[in-house]
Amino acid sequence: QPHALPADLVHDLRSPLTQILGYTEMLMEQARECQGQEFLPDLQRVHTAGRNLLAVIDDRLAATVTTGAAKSEVASPEPPQLRVETQPAPTASREGHDKHAQHGSLLVVDDIEANRDVLSRRLRRHGHSVATAEDGRIALDRLRAEPFDLVLLDIMMPEIDGFEVLRRMKSDEQLRHIPVIIISALNELDAVARCIEMGAEDYLSKPFNPTLLKARTHACLEKKWSRDRESQLYTQLSQNFQRLQELEKQRDDLTHMIIHDLRTPLVSVITGMQTLDLMGTLNAEQREMMTLSVSGGETLLGMINDLLDVEKLESGAMQLDYSEVAPSQLVSSALAQVTSLAAGKELTLLQERDEMLPLIRCDEGKLRRTLVNLLGNAVKFTPSGGTVTVGVCPADQGGSVTFSVADTGEGIPAEAFGSIFEKFGQVKTRQGGRVMSTGLGLTFCKLAVEAHGGQIGLESRLGEGSTFCFTIPVTPLSEAVP
């Protein structure tokens, strides 16, 4: 068993050997590129001798059981032997590939000048912009002052070692996104694991393998640039979303102003036309035109009122006037408002209600309007001779009552379920592509029900009609009324 070498002596021996091997490898590459093939055999002998000496040192170090000085290093596994081939320089296709590879701004941190020089020259040959720092304090100062894409960091340095530099980088919001490759003679699993756990992207041992150095450097840069692109895209999306919100608010404010200002003159027009009928006798044609004009004006006024009410409900500005209401009476009063409309289409109106239901605490006007809207939709899109059924019953889960409006119309396509309650959400029917409603009535229904703490839903199949249901909580401690 050979005697173990002290760890500090091993470090002092390995450092210059690492530099010799690094410079020799670069000289061999330059000899190939400059057609200096006559130098390659001698350079190979120097490189082989350095490798053999390194192997002897590593074999002795394997028996080391004592710790050395603070700047001790453990030998890394021997990289594969570098083969020398007396062939022409790399092919044009390979050069073209490297030429178009992306290059980054790198910082090399090592307290030994020759190590920094070898590594920097190697990285510059790969096309990167390289800066250096001789200790951890200078490295941190440079990182805060200049933008870097990657840091290659030695672990064993005086004052502030690589572990502390890595810790400070990952705890600094400005620096934590910069990837770090640890470069050291340390190869103990606990040291490697500690670096990775602290946030290092990768690890290379000295003397480093040029191929591994190039591959891992480019891999870390690609990951960093990918994260940068994602961060930039997220920032752009956030800015665009904020801008979109601002534009939507401006649009809604403008719409509200226009709609609100339209209501007053429209009411004047409707009132004026109705007054004309009292000022003299109209012939049949004039009366027909008057009736059509008033009807159209009232429809437009209803749309304006719907839009204003929807905006109030969306913003929470609409106040609900609560009172205790009997569900069966609510159904009857809503049904009375659509009876004449249903009679004009020869539709059958049916009621299904439980007279013993408890009172509900609600805004009677808003819920009646919800039922009228649903009944109006059902009557409008149910063909002549069809049936519209309105009902109210206890909800399955208890503590609530469920209102329903069903028709025997052509039904609503399943793909429209997600948009039918949205503002201005319109659905085309199968027959002739007709647009179903203005897209405000059902939005009002949804918002009014949700304002009462309830839920609204739809069941529909093409050719089999539609059923709208909404559930309203029951008033606590109220008694059933006949």
Side-chain angles (χ1 to χ4, degrees), residues 384-448:
S384 298
T387 302
V388 174
T389 304
V390 58
V392 58
C393 62
D396 293 338
Q397 67 270 25
S400 303
V401 295
T402 298
F403 296 85
S404 63
V405 176
D407 62 60
T408 56
E410 62 180 277
I412 299 172
E415 60 269 19
F417 285 11
S419 62
I420 195 168
F421 291 108
E422 294 179 2
K423 188 161 57 175
F424 306 116
Q426 297 179 330
V427 180
K428 288 187 177 180
T429 65
R430 289 186 302 166
Q431 300 176 359
R434 293 185 300 115
V435 174
M436 300 178 66
S437 81
T438 62
L440 291 174
L442 291 180
T443 303
F444 173 85
C445 294
K446 178 178 182 294
L447 294 174

Side-chain angles (χ1 to χ4, degrees), residues 76 93 199 201 307:
S76 61
S93 61
E201 289 286 340
L307 184 56

Side-chain angles (χ1 to χ4, degrees), residues 35 66 92 111 164 166 201 221 248 308 311 389 393-394 424:
Q35 302 300 319
T66 59
D111 61 319
E164 180 62 16
L166 182 60
E201 289 286 340
L221 287 173
E248 287 182 343
L308 292 173
E311 289 188 356
T389 304
C393 62
F424 306 116

Side-chain angles (χ1 to χ4, degrees), residues 240-290:
N240 290 340
F241 179 69
Q242 183 178 0
R243 178 59 178 160
L244 179 60
Q245 288 182 312
E246 293 173 356
L247 291 174
E248 287 182 343
K249 185 179 185 303
Q250 293 176 8
R251 182 203 62 191
D252 291 342
D253 291 344
L254 179 61
T255 300
H256 179 80
M257 179 185 69
I258 294 173
I259 295 300
H260 187 273
D261 290 346
L262 281 175
R263 183 164 59 175
T264 299
L266 182 58
V267 170
S268 300
V269 171
I270 295 173
T271 303
M273 288 189 295
Q274 291 173 335
T275 304
L276 286 175
D277 192 27
L278 303 176
M279 297 176 63
T281 302
L282 301 177
N283 59 39
E285 185 177 356
Q286 292 171 334
R287 188 172 299 281
E288 181 182 0
M289 297 301 296
M290 179 70 68

Side-chain angles (χ1 to χ4, degrees), residues 66-341:
T66 59
T67 59
K71 192 176 173 71
S72 63
E73 297 186 11
V74 181
S76 61
E78 181 180 354
Q81 291 290 338
L82 182 67
R83 295 177 57 194
V84 176
E85 299 184 14
T86 57
Q87 296 180 0
T91 62
S93 61
R94 179 61 178 266
E95 289 178 348
H97 175 76
D98 291 344
K99 181 179 179 180
H100 290 89
Q102 287 183 300
H103 304 142
S105 176
L106 280 58
L107 178 64
V108 174
V109 186
D110 196 307
D111 61 319
I112 300 176
E113 181 180 1
N115 289 346
R116 296 195 302 272
D117 182 61
V118 171
L119 188 53
S120 299
R121 291 174 63 178
R122 172 71 66 183
L123 293 170
R124 289 191 181 102
R125 287 177 62 83
H126 296 164
H128 302 297
S129 172
V130 183
T132 61
E134 56 267 32
D135 59 47
R137 191 176 307 280
I138 294 176
L140 291 170
D141 291 340
R142 295 206 67 169
L143 286 168
R144 294 188 178 98
E146 306 173 41
F148 289 99
D149 297 315
L150 177 64
V151 176
L152 293 101
L153 178 65
D154 186 33
I155 288 184
M156 292 301 178
M157 294 185 295
E159 296 187 28
I160 302 179
D161 61 15
F163 291 118
E164 180 62 16
V165 173
L166 182 60
R167 186 193 68 79
R168 295 189 187 184
M169 286 182 63
K170 296 308 175 182
S171 61
D172 190 322
E173 191 67 29
Q174 178 185 352
L175 307 179
R176 64 189 311 170
H177 69 284
I178 304 175
V180 176
I181 294 179
I182 296 296
I183 296 182
S184 174
L186 284 170
N187 78 322
E188 294 177 333
L189 290 179
D190 58 345
V192 175
R194 181 181 174 188
C195 292
I196 299 300
E197 289 174 356
M198 292 175 66
E201 289 286 340
D202 214 329
Y203 180 89
L204 284 170
S205 57
K206 293 188 297 187
F208 51 80
N209 183 298
T211 303
L212 288 178
L213 172 67
K214 181 176 181 179
R216 294 181 179 178
T217 299
H218 280 284
C220 287
L221 287 173
E222 286 293 337
K223 290 174 63 176
K224 197 264 184 182
W225 288 327
S226 177
R227 288 194 293 265
D228 288 348
R229 287 192 294 269
E230 291 176 359
S231 177
Q232 183 180 13
L233 179 59
Y234 176 79
T235 301
Q236 291 176 350
L237 289 175
S238 298
Q239 293 173 347
N240 290 340
F241 179 69
Q242 183 178 0
R243 178 59 178 160
L244 179 60
Q245 288 182 312
E246 293 173 356
L247 291 174
E248 287 182 343
K249 185 179 185 303
Q250 293 176 8
R251 182 203 62 191
D252 291 342
D253 291 344
L254 179 61
T255 300
H256 179 80
M257 179 185 69
I258 294 173
I259 295 300
H260 187 273
D261 290 346
L262 281 175
R263 183 164 59 175
T264 299
L266 182 58
V267 170
S268 300
V269 171
I270 295 173
T271 303
M273 288 189 295
Q274 291 173 335
T275 304
L276 286 175
D277 192 27
L278 303 176
M279 297 176 63
T281 302
L282 301 177
N283 59 39
E285 185 177 356
Q286 292 171 334
R287 188 172 299 281
E288 181 182 0
M289 297 301 296
M290 179 70 68
T291 301
L292 289 174
S293 299
V294 172
S295 176
E298 290 176 343
T299 300
L300 181 57
L301 182 61
M303 292 170 59
I304 291 174
N305 289 332
D306 282 344
L307 184 56
L308 292 173
D309 288 344
V310 164
E311 289 188 356
K312 288 180 181 179
L313 285 169
E314 285 180 327
S315 64
M318 178 173 285
Q319 299 295 322
L320 299 182
D321 184 13
Y322 284 100
S323 63
E324 289 194 335
V325 181
S328 58
Q329 295 176 2
L330 196 60
V331 168
S332 298
S333 60
L335 202 57
Q337 295 190 31
V338 298
T339 299
S340 59
L341 182 61

